[in-house]
Amino acid sequence: MLRVVALAARNLTRLWRRSLLTGGLIAIGVVAVLLFVAAAGSFRAMMIGQITDSYLGHLQVHRRGYVAAVETLPLHLNMSARQAQAVEEVAARIPELVAIAPRVKFGAMFSNFTETTNIRVNGIDPARELAVAPALPDRFLQGDRDGLLQRGEILVPELLARGLNVKAGDTVVLIATNRDGSVNGRTLTVRGVISGVTGPGGRDGYVHIEDARAILRSPEAEVSEFVLRARDLAAIPRAAAALEAAFAARAPEGQRVPFEVHAWDRLSPFAAIANMIDVMTLGIRVLLIAIVLVAVMNVMIMAVYERIREIGTIGAMGTPPARILGLFLAEGLLLGIVGVASGILLAFGAVAVLNVFPITFSFGQQTGLLLRPVLPPVEVALVGGTVLLVAVLASLQPAWKAARLDPIAALRHV
Amino acid sequence: MTDAVVAERVVKRYRAGEVEVTALRGVDFTLAEGAFAALVGPSGSGKTTLLNMIGCLDRPSEGRLAVLGQDVGALSRSGAARFRGERIGFVFQDFNLIPVLSAAENIEYPLVMVQSWPAERRRARVAKLLAEVGMTDQAGKRPDQLSGGQKQRVAIARALATGARLVLADEPTANLDGETAQRVIALMRRMRDEEGVTFLFSTHDPRIIGAADLILRIEDGAVRTEPAAARETAHA
């Protein structure tokens, strides 16, 4: 076998410029794919991290129908205290989950005493919110971020702060209608101004959960949504499945499960961008496969055509067809190996350079984001394996033709 | 002494487009083992067709052709390849050496790709053959660094590498000058004498015809054998 591979390697040196060109073409393809995967992957991971860590969390649990009507922040679809307790009990038993935080959400009027606008308010338990959205303090544009907020304080979204000329330390009023239709208001101090996040949240402010319940005159510790944090992003699907299974198991026979579980990607429009990145990655992979297929097949077809008499000679000498097949497959495989090896080396070099001199970019309202591409070993193995497989497949037809050549016809070939 | 080739009423027909051509019309002859024979005849007389069948590259349409005791018509494609690899050597007019391999590696090729000999045994066999054909000092050179005569000597060594009992040579001296051709013929005769290998040449070269023990004259699809004693008359 090694001798066949050694002979295949020698054969590739016959027209070394052509072999080098083909290997180079494959290498360029590998570099392009790996760089794209590294850059797109790090962009994707960074944006998902931003969205989940600063606002959405990894998972959310609502009462059935809440998310469908979320634009109106329906108070009548809040969970009762008993239901909220049930959710917390279930979450506590799922090992993939590391934190859970309740939110009370409602729509309100926001006034600086001269102007009024509408605001979406998130009533949060600051300590628990930090456990599920640890990057929330990073959104502070003004004010003391330590501990997020206390009772009587509000975090105002940048859009509103700018529009109503509100700054940290100012006094504002929130006025809301509760589920019974009665209106209530409360004066709050602006603890800070926070930036918006990608996706919904441009008009989302934060108050303490007890203030939220007080404004809404809630008779009990109701909850609009629970935000949960999984051990890591990979654990989200397992955690979601475990939650759904546990809720289903607790639901009375014949009744619908009262809760819905949503992973972050079902709540954020960025999921569509993330999916688009995945589709583009797939597209560029297909392009690479096409490059390798065309390049290797072209070279191997030419190699067989140019060596027909030689194939006739070795066939006449008694070389088994399987060994002739193996010889040409080995040539294709070696072309792939040369391309993959050099492509991977170049890609690692380029990624190292990009990490030393990182590219900055803006996304939405976030500026100065640093792109630090990472090449996951799994991706490298996947791209390398795909290229090698395609190189062998591309060689299959020419190699098969060589193995099936009639020595008489081949020796007669001019 | 057994027979290297026995042909009994061998007929070969093939299609050339819409036309069926009968290349051989009931060929009968016997070639004893150890013979040094020349297959002669005008172009298109069926020399190559007969040589291909003897080399197990093709099968007779009718009749029986036995090579080294093996019925050629009974061999499958892979069986024929195996038989060729073990028992038959080929020498070509254009040498047909593998250009990326050295002289030694070309001789070694069938031992690796056809028969999978162990390395030590291969090296010994190649060294012996290189010495026998006088190419030891050229062992590392590639075909493009060798003269025509040297290439043909390497080709002869390659044909004998696996211990072939029958060597078929298609116009082996056609691309060689007179002196070189004589040397190559002498080499093949010596190999026949030393190894007892049967040599059968398809040739127009009077030098080989002159050196042959037996002449198989093929004409109009039939073969007539002429012993060495009759060769001068045959050429007249």
Side-chain angles (χ1 to χ4, degrees):
Chain A
M1 184 63 194
L2 277 178
R3 304 288 296 189
V4 173
V5 175
L7 181 57
R10 291 272 191 94
N11 284 335
L12 288 177
T13 63
R14 289 174 195 235
L15 292 166
W16 64 270
R17 282 191 189 87
R18 186 173 71 186
S19 301
L20 202 65
L21 195 67
T22 308
L25 198 62
I26 295 170
I28 289 169
V30 169
V31 169
V33 171
L34 288 180
L35 276 187
F36 182 82
V37 166
S42 62
F43 169 74
R44 189 179 185 277
M46 186 171 64
M47 295 316 297
I48 291 171
Q50 287 272 332
I51 291 164
T52 57
D53 290 356
S54 68
Y55 178 64
L56 279 181
H58 289 160
L59 295 146
Q60 293 186 3
V61 175
H62 304 89
R63 252 182 78 180
R64 181 171 293 282
Y66 187 91
V67 170
V70 73
E71 282 307 309
T72 61
L73 299 174
L75 295 173
H76 70 282
L77 288 176
N78 279 354
M79 297 174 214
S80 66
R82 193 172 52 79
Q83 287 175 318
Q85 191 184 350
V87 171
E88 296 223 36
E89 282 171 8
V90 165
R93 284 199 289 272
I94 294 173
E96 279 83 5
L97 295 172
V98 293
I100 179 168
R103 284 180 186 166
V104 173
K105 296 168 79 94
F106 59 98
M109 300 304 291
F110 175 87
S111 173
N112 64 355
F113 301 101
T114 55
E115 290 178 277
T116 302
T117 186
N118 63 314
I119 184 172
R120 294 160 57 95
V121 183
N122 294 269
I124 58 168
D125 177 330
R128 297 181 72 184
E129 186 71 16
L130 278 171
V132 294
L136 181 53
D138 298 343
R139 289 171 57 196
F140 269 65
L141 300 173
Q142 285 180 32
D144 176 15
R145 67 183 68 186
D146 190 25
L148 283 182
L149 51 73
Q150 294 176 357
R151 289 202 65 172
E153 292 179 335
I154 181 170
L155 299 178
V156 182
E158 184 188 11
L159 276 177
L160 267 64
R162 204 184 311 135
L164 271 67
N165 197 24
V166 167
K167 57 186 182 305
D170 289 355
T171 303
V172 295
V173 175
L174 275 190
I175 303 156
T177 308
N178 73 3
R179 73 168 74 182
D180 300 325
S182 66
V183 176
N184 191 22
R186 198 174 183 89
T187 303
L188 299 162
T189 304
V190 176
R191 167 68 176 263
V193 176
I194 55 169
S195 65
V197 288
T198 309
R203 296 182 77 85
D204 277 51
Y206 291 87
V207 298
H208 196 283
I209 195 165
E210 294 306 328
D211 288 338
R213 286 175 181 147
I215 292 168
L216 294 173
R217 291 186 175 132
S218 302
E220 58 173 351
E222 63 182 310
V223 172
S224 305
E225 69 186 15
F226 276 104
V227 182
L228 300 101
R229 186 168 182 82
R231 267 206 313 271
D232 50 51
L233 290 175
I236 293 175
R238 287 196 306 277
L243 278 169
E244 281 168 349
F247 290 145
R250 288 173 74 107
E253 185 110 3
Q255 286 188 26
R256 298 178 75 188
V257 178
F259 306 115
E260 289 176 336
V261 180
H262 294 99
W264 74 270
D265 55 344
R266 288 166 67 189
L267 298 165
S268 167
F270 182 76
I273 298 174
N275 288 339
M276 209 162 70
I277 291 171
D278 291 344
V279 170
M280 285 168 69
T281 306
L282 181 69
I284 200 164
R285 279 193 180 128
V286 170
L287 205 64
L288 173 69
I289 288 171
I291 289 172
V292 175
L293 200 68
V294 170
V296 174
M297 193 180 256
N298 179 47
V299 167
M300 296 314 298
I301 286 173
M302 287 304 294
V304 170
Y305 183 76
E306 289 159 357
R307 281 153 51 194
I308 284 182
R309 276 178 70 85
E310 187 180 311
I311 295 164
T313 303
I314 62 176
M317 284 159 59
T319 309
R323 200 155 280 184
I324 297 175
L325 182 88
L327 179 65
F328 281 89
L329 287 182
E331 286 182 31
L333 179 66
L334 286 176
L335 271 177
I337 288 172
V338 168
V340 164
S342 45
I344 287 174
L345 282 177
L346 285 172
F348 270 111
V351 165
V353 169
L354 283 175
N355 277 287
V356 175
F357 305 103
I359 296 170
T360 56
F361 69 103
S362 302
F363 188 79
Q365 293 183 33
Q366 299 171 70
T367 56
L369 296 170
L370 285 180
L371 190 66
R372 291 190 183 278
V374 176
L375 263 181
V378 173
E379 279 295 340
V380 175
L382 187 69
V383 169
T386 305
V387 169
L388 295 184
L389 181 69
V390 172
V392 172
L393 288 177
S395 313
L396 203 55
Q397 190 274 340
W400 179 255
K401 186 184 171 190
R404 299 297 304 167
L405 268 179
D406 174 16
I408 296 174
L411 285 167
R412 213 181 282 142
H413 183 80
V414 181
Chain B
M1 185 178 281
T2 55
D3 293 324
V5 182
V6 178
E8 294 171 354
R9 295 178 299 284
V10 171
V11 174
K12 182 63 186 177
R13 284 185 286 268
Y14 59 87
R15 296 200 72 80
E18 296 294 308
V19 185
E20 187 176 81
V21 178
T22 304
L24 298 173
R25 307 167 186 273
V27 168
D28 286 290
F29 72 90
T30 301
L31 189 65
E33 217 172 314
F36 199 72
L39 180 63
V40 299
S43 295
S45 59
K47 292 193 300 290
T48 304
T49 302
L50 182 58
L51 217 55
N52 285 340
M53 286 194 292
I54 295 170
C56 303
L57 294 167
D58 204 354
R59 296 175 182 199
S61 306
E62 287 176 26
R64 181 176 173 275
L65 178 65
V67 176
L68 300 168
Q70 171 65 52
D71 184 353
V72 174
L75 285 170
S76 64
R77 186 184 155 94
S78 58
R82 203 163 36 246
F83 185 72
R84 285 197 302 274
E86 289 168 357
R87 311 294 298 276
I88 302 173
F90 291 86
V91 176
F92 302 95
Q93 178 179 339
D94 296 325
F95 325 120
N96 291 16
L97 299 178
I98 297 171
V100 290
L101 300 181
S102 66
E105 288 167 336
N106 263 288
I107 298 169
E108 191 184 21
Y109 177 90
L111 304 176
V112 177
M113 295 290 279
V114 180
Q115 290 206 347
S116 307
W117 283 28
E120 205 165 311
R121 199 171 152 217
R122 269 197 328 258
R123 274 196 291 276
R125 178 68 175 160
V126 170
K128 179 172 182 279
L129 285 165
L130 278 168
E132 282 179 359
V133 298
M135 290 289 291
T136 303
D137 56 343
Q138 309 290 325
K141 288 188 175 171
R142 290 192 177 188
D144 59 358
Q145 297 169 307
L146 300 174
S147 68
Q150 288 171 325
K151 286 180 199 172
Q152 202 59 301
R153 279 147 70 187
V154 172
I156 291 165
R158 181 179 67 180
L160 295 167
T162 58
R165 301 309 302 156
L166 171 64
V167 172
L168 302 173
D170 185 15
E171 302 278 5
T173 54
N175 288 336
L176 304 177
D177 61 62
E179 193 184 332
T180 310
Q182 288 292 358
R183 280 205 209 114
V184 167
I185 294 164
L187 170 68
M188 289 191 288
R189 264 203 91 96
R190 185 161 55 81
M191 302 303 281
R192 190 281 305 263
D193 295 341
E194 289 175 4
E195 308 254 346
V197 179
T198 307
F199 278 82
L200 176 61
F201 315 93
S202 150
T203 186
H204 289 103
D205 188 341
R207 292 164 299 197
I208 293 194
I209 298 169
D213 300 335
L214 182 73
I215 296 165
L216 301 173
R217 187 168 296 280
I218 185 164
E219 215 157 3
D220 296 328
V223 169
R224 195 174 72 242
T225 54
E226 297 172 8
R231 81 170 60 116
E232 295 308 322
T233 319
H235 280 286

